[in-house]
Amino acid sequence: MKPKIAQVVVGLPVEGPFDYLIPDVWPTPQPGQRVHVSFQNRGRVAYVVKLCPQSEVPVARLKPLLEVLDEAPSVDQYMLQVTHALAQYYGCSWGEAIEAALPAALRIKRIFASSVAATSPASEIPAQQTIFCHDLSGRRQWGFLQSQIEGAVAKQMAVIWLVPEVLMIPKVCTALKAWGYRDVAVLDKALTAKEELAHWSGIKIGESRIVVGTRSAVFAPVRRLGLIIITDEENLAFKQEQSPFYHARKVAEIRQQVEGGNLLYVSAAPSVELWASMKGNERSETQWKEIPAQQMGRLQLIDLANYKPGKRTIIAFPLQNMIIDTLARSEKIVLWFNRRGFSTLTKCNQCAHIIKCERCDVHMAYQDSRKQLVCYLCDHAIPLPERCPGCGGVYLRSLGSGIERLESEVARIFPQARVTRFDKETSRIPRNADIIVATQAVLRILPELSVALVGVLSIDTELSRIDYRAAQRVFSLLVYLRQVARDKVVVQTHHIEHYALRCARDLDFIGFYQQELGLRKEMGFPPFCHWITLMIRGKVRDEAYNVALKLHESLNQQRASAEWEVLDLQPDFVPKLRDKYRFHIMLKGPSVPQMLAGIEQAVKVAKRKKDVIVTVNVDP
DNA sequence: AGCACGCCGACT
DNA sequence: GTCGGCGTGCTC
């Protein structure tokens, strides 16, 4: 019998699905199709997820579908399953997950002409394999990747290649063209809505079978998925920092489970989680591809306990000497210093007033390049006041050192060198400089520069981050720098014995990951458990705090007999951002679904309070 | 998310 | 007497 009811979901934080009548004279819509409905008396785009002969809801209370928006489903059968699993894992609604997977242009009620052929029903799911390519050379992975791609293409299957950074896309496209592939499409959220839709449609109708893109490209609507490549898997850019807070790796895993095909990670120093999971699988020839380094910069550690940089410079003397040597050979130097601006704070010498960002409550740093005080959190800028806002005096002074101060200092110490600075604001690649003073933004362009010496000045700040991944990030960073530095990488530190530094120096991968996994196990950190962060934020501090407090209380009651635990309620690492006060509660336990089920009710209650926003971040 | 319903404070 | 605050509940 012809189905009478279409079950739909919407891109709101409401569960559903909701039943709608299919008007008699209509042809039956298909699951995955976009429809227009009246939801709560307002027009909305919704997504058909299922058809059924009848509804639990009395017919009198059912509304009809108003319109079917496209000829063919926007979401195929596989992607319906994938988004459903995604919603389950990350604790969002199915509709929200579907919208995360679709181009933004499809969220509005407009018919998009598409000659998409109906999706072929599930034939057999292709064999699947997960491969890790540990490429220390940073270069010779390309041949291996080419053969893997060719393997998929030969079977008429599609390839998705994810990179962490938009700037890496052209390089990948160039390589693919050189290998003779013409049907390559780019997907990235930086595209305009129109371009995004055009590229997406091209992939959907099978014009492009190779997709290159950043995080969101993991949802590319390819038909026969043969291979997903994830380059630099450890990069934090693969995690979305807004709802639904998904990680591209997790989505790739779900897609592989649902659609089959291979999953290929490429990295010189992957996340501890990936290393552990690949080690768990027998390290066979096919699953683990080891590419040794041919040439790599040496790593040298300078103990700041022995070489105290003077009051006037933060560059230790041995490093200064190496810079002089490198300059004498007319070679290029990068000095890594992860702090933007000129100063870190601006203070009145008369009344000790410190200028803070009015929206975020943090010190504002003077940026000489903009001649303004800038907040490093929200980028809010104000002119440097002539008089102190506290006492009206004229004794405002800039303290601490940011990258701009370092730049002028370096120029003073090495007058023979052309010194320039590279940070987030810099757009041109500084090819003509001898010394480039740079923040971590330089990572994006480092392969383009031919650098002999990299001096890392601020690794101690990175090591002391309150983040369980700090050691791994330092290790990955240093290994990466060794790949791009022709001669050597010099790290000055107070933590000369730190295992992340020593293992990076000795290229001791086994040692690093073993030690790190040991610590993670001891501390009960991932991958030995899962974390969920609940963030509570609001404009009125007390309101946000009270909601957080109540939520924390009811979570504590909830978990009395459960396997998971609730950590203390705390101000977030960023306690105030853009006029909103932020608190977070961390949960820790072996099973994400179990934790989500346990907190669902309490979170729902907390979300009811208006002016306070509660978000759930799984595997933060 | 948004919006309607419903119950208590200061006002033309 | 009423206008309107926001806590509570629901969306087929």
Side-chain angles (χ1 to χ4, degrees), chain A residues 29 65 93 101 155 157 170 226 309 320 349 352 382 427 440 457 479 592:
Chain A
L65 296 178
S93 76
K155 286 184 274 178
M157 298 177 89
Q320 290 193 20
N349 269 2
I382 58 168
S427 49
Q440 66 176 353
L457 305 182
V479 170
V592 170

Side-chain angles (χ1 to χ4, degrees), chain A residues 269-281:
Chain A
S271 71
V272 179
E273 289 85 342
L274 180 64
W275 182 279
S277 77
M278 293 310 295
K279 280 289 176 186
N281 303 334

Side-chain angles (χ1 to χ4, degrees), chain A residues 4-24:
Chain A
K4 289 261 185 311
I5 301 296
Q7 295 196 319
V8 310
V9 294
V10 291
L12 295 173
V14 290
E15 265 320 305
F18 301 97
D19 297 356
Y20 283 84
L21 290 164
I22 304 166
D24 280 344

